[in-house]
């Protein structure tokens, strides 16, 4: 995967957490995520389609997700609260929307977010697209952004 597809997500997650949660984040080294690896306890998932297609997953351990939601909403709520999933969905929506805006030369749409809450679940994307795992740390704990997208224009041209 071309780094031009990863940098927008690094920039966007940094921007969203700094502006919306007033938190500095430290982004680790992106790496290829093995297909069979375990995800986190809470996953916000959003799809991209158009000239760039695939899936973005914002993955958290439960404690980090609950702290992020508390800071984001200004309310303490555990992962069973009826609004918890909406807050996680909004975070993945903002991160993906910010990254999408940086694909200025392409037509890209994002889907409505989905959220999975449950310990040690696995989110499996398309097998023909590599997933790049971007580890992130901040005062709330660790989380990750998993980017599994491809350049649909280049794929069509190669076919």
């Amino acid at each position: 995967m071309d780094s031009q597809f990863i940098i927008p997500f690094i920039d966007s997650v940094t921007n969203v957490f700094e502006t919306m949660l007033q938190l500095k984040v430290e982004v680790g080294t992106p790496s290829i995520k093995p297909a069979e690896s375990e995800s986190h306890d809470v996953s916000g998932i959003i799809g991209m389609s158009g000239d760039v297609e695939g899936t973005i997953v914002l993955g958290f351990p439960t404690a980090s997700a609950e702290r992020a939601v508390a800071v984001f909403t200004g309310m303490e709520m555990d992962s069973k609260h009826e609004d918890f999933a909406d807050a996680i969905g909004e975070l993945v929506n903002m991160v993906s929307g910010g990254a999408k805006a940086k694909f200025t030369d392409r037509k890209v749409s994002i889907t409505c977010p989905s959220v999975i809450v449950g310990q040690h679940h696995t989110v499996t994307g398309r097998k023909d697209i590599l997933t790049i795992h971007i580890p992130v740390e901040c005062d709330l704990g660790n989380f990750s952004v998993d980017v599994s997208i491809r350049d649909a224009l280049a794929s069509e041209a190669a076919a």
Side-chain angles (χ1 to χ4, degrees), residues 9-94:
F9 291 96
I10 293 172
D11 292 345
S12 185
V13 74
T14 301
N15 182 52
V16 167
F17 274 73
E18 286 183 1
T19 59
M20 301 305 294
L21 287 77
Q22 287 79 47
L23 288 170
K24 284 264 187 218
V25 297
E26 186 172 321
V27 177
T29 303
S31 61
I32 296 173
K33 184 175 182 176
E36 300 300 322
S37 64
E38 184 176 280
S39 185
H40 290 288
D41 302 332
V42 177
S43 295
I45 306 164
I46 206 159
M48 297 184 92
S49 61
D51 295 344
V52 176
E53 59 185 26
T55 306
I56 312 306
V57 178
L58 200 59
F60 298 88
T62 301
S64 297
E66 289 175 344
R67 283 183 247 148
V69 167
V71 171
F72 180 54
T73 63
M75 299 173 36
E76 292 291 330
M77 63 177 84
D78 68 21
S79 62
K80 294 180 177 98
H81 190 281
E82 64 184 16
D83 295 328
F84 178 82
D86 289 343
I88 294 295
E90 187 55 30
L91 284 173
V92 72
N93 188 45
M94 288 189 294

Side-chain angles (χ1 to χ4, degrees), residues 89-113:
E90 187 55 30
L91 284 173
V92 72
N93 188 45
M94 288 189 294
V95 169
S96 299
K100 174 194 160 210
K102 295 185 182 275
F103 295 121
T104 56
D105 59 339
R106 298 168 186 269
K107 292 181 180 177
V108 181
S109 297
I110 58 175
T111 65
C112 292

